[in-house]
């Protein structure tokens, strides 16, 4: 059986490997940068997903946070404009005393706040946020900080562009443009490979210390497949001090694996030689992530559907607590995961990476084309929000692995660009018909 989630135009991978550097317009002011001899590193600290990653047959998808675990704050638009100290339209930054907040808002029901001074005809801005996220980012009980990217707020229609609409259009433009190189990758027989030997990644080194909180999105763009026994992993990988790694994975698999063919989930590695800790019990580890559990089933549709990620490495009183929130933007559903590191807790980010990995044990012919956008658009140092281009080296370093050097068709590829201070990675796997 052959399933097509999107129509693909060309097989592009060999063309990309035959050129040294390609700069391809994706949208206004952005360029996709691909590997060449000057930016490929020979060795890296790369971590790889297990292969095959067996999902238990009876494993249900993750359950979203219930409404009892959410705060909903309805904010009069005039009050928000008065209190917001941010000059960046993509960031809201409000800080007031708890006493002032309580004088302005009243809680109706469990966690739903409304203004005491709301006028009948005044427009409302709504913040819907997990209670665990609010508590983690508001350590002072006497202060209320509503300091979040604008996309976390729901504005009245046509009042403001939070960046979400622009990002969706950029994704559509990118899919339409694709990479305009029309050479066809020869259909060599697919041999067995693993994520350890068949992977591309791009790495951005932190130039500032004490990055503990990052947010962005992961968006499946294209998926076409047939055949059995393969898995593609297209990921965000955050490397911290003391060997800790936190990943957000979009996993594409064949129909002989259990569950949805596209799964979104986090993974934690607690140390350089540690086994991955998944949101479910696995043979390689005697522990699993806490929280709402397992994976989010994802789809590819005509309009790309993003899954926002928020990753916090706590310091101070909560040292060793790693918290991960995922949001299904389409359905406005939140998911929560956590891990307690009692060995060598991480305290700051070292590098952030996008990766494309492939594992195959072919059972007959395989056709596979999968592409994702991984985006990092905000970081926090202490309580200060920073754009990634303020705290990372903007020149990415590429790392490549294949069984027989770069001349062997690796089937995987990655490129990146910078857009409005954020970096986008475009991992891809391409096994043509």
């Amino acid at each position: 059986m052959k399933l097509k989630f999107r129509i693909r135009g060309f097989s592009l991978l060999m063309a990309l490997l035959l050129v040294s550097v390609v700069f391809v317009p994706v949208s206004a002011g952005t360029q996709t940068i691909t590997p060449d001899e000057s930016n490929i590193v020979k060795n890296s600290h790369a971590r790889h997903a297990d292969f095959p990653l067996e999902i238990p047959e009876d494993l249900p998808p993750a359950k979203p946070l219930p409404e009892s675990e959410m705060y909903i704050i309805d904010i009069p638009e005039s009050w928000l404009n008065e209190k917001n100290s941010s000059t960046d339209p993509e960031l809201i930054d409000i800080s007031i005393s708890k006493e002032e907040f309580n004088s302005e808002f009243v809680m109706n029901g469990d966690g739903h706040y409304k203004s005491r001074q709301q006028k009948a005809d005044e427009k409302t801005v709504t913040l819907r946020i997990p209670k665990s996220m609010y508590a983690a980012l508001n350590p002072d009980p006497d202060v209320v900080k509503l300091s979040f990217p604008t996309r976390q707020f729901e504005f009245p229609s046509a009042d403001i562009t939070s960046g979400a609409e622009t990002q969706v259009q950029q994704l559509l433009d990118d899919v339409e443009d694709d990479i305009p190189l029309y050479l066809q990758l020869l259909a060599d027989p697919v041999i067995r490979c693993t994520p350890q030997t068949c992977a591309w990644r791009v790495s951005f080194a932190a130039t500032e210390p004490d990055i503990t909180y990052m947010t962005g999105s992961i968006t499946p763009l294209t998926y076409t497949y047939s055949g059995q026994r393969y898995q593609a992993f297209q990921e965000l990988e955050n490397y911290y001090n003391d060997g800790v790694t936190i990943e957000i994975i979009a996993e594409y698999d064949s129909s002989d694996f259990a569950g949805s063919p596209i799964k979104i989930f986090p993974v934690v590695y607690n140390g350089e030689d540690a086994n991955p800790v998944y949101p479910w019990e696995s043979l390689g580890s005697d522990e699993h992530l806490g929280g709402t559990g397992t994976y989010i089933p994802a789809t590819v549709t005509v309009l790309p559907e993003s899954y926002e990620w928020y990753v916090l490495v706590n310091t101070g009183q909560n040292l060793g607590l790693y918290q991960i929130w995922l949001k299904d933007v389409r359905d406005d559903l939140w998911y929560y995961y956590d891990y307690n590191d009692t060995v060598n807790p991480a305290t700051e980010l070292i590098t952030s990476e996008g990766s494309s990995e492939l594992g195959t044990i072919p059972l007959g012919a395989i056709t596979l084309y999968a592409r994702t956008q991984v985006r990092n658009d905000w970081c926090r140092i202490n309580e200060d929000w920073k754009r990634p281009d303020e705290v990372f080296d903007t020149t990415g370093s590429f790392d490549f692995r294949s069984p027989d050097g770069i001349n062997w068709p690796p089937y995987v590829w990655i490129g990146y660009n910078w857009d409005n201070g954020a970096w986008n990675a475009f991992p891809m796997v391409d096994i043509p018909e």
Side-chain angles (χ1 to χ4, degrees), residues 404-417:
D404 190 28
I406 201 168
N407 293 323
W408 179 78
Y411 307 118
V412 294
W413 175 83
I414 197 166
Y416 75 90
N417 66 29

Side-chain angles (χ1 to χ4, degrees), residues 88-194:
D88 188 325
E90 294 192 24
L91 183 67
I92 301 296
D93 191 7
I94 297 173
S95 181
I96 60 174
S97 69
K98 179 68 172 178
E99 182 180 4
E100 181 181 355
F101 181 83
N102 288 339
S103 71
E104 296 277 357
F105 292 87
V106 61
M107 186 172 71
N108 297 334
D110 186 13
H112 192 166
Y113 289 87
K114 291 184 177 291
S115 171
R116 299 178 186 272
Q117 311 297 329
Q118 181 79 42
K119 299 176 182 177
D121 58 347
E122 185 169 13
K123 294 180 179 180
T124 299
V125 178
T126 300
L127 173 63
R128 185 172 180 272
I129 183 174
K131 292 179 179 179
S132 55
M133 177 182 285
Y134 175 86
L137 300 179
N138 280 266
D140 187 343
D142 295 325
V143 176
V144 172
K145 289 185 67 66
L146 306 180
S147 181
F148 305 101
T150 305
R151 59 175 163 78
Q152 288 190 240
F153 295 77
E154 181 181 346
F155 286 81
S157 299
D159 265 25
I160 190 168
T161 300
S162 67
E165 296 87 350
T166 302
Q167 185 175 345
V168 167
Q169 186 58 54
Q170 178 187 328
L171 291 172
L172 291 173
D173 291 345
D174 181 55
V175 172
E176 286 298 319
D177 292 344
D178 219 304
I179 307 299
L181 299 170
Y182 306 130
L183 298 178
Q184 182 76 16
L185 175 63
L186 297 177
D188 291 356
V190 178
I191 68 171
R192 175 172 176 167
C193 65
T194 68

Side-chain angles (χ1 to χ4, degrees), residues 271-296:
E272 293 288 351
D273 300 317
N275 290 321
V277 180
Y278 296 103
W280 54 83
E281 294 182 359
S282 63
L283 296 177
S285 176
D286 58 358
E287 55 185 347
H288 60 84
L289 301 182
T292 51
T294 74
Y295 65 90
I296 305 173

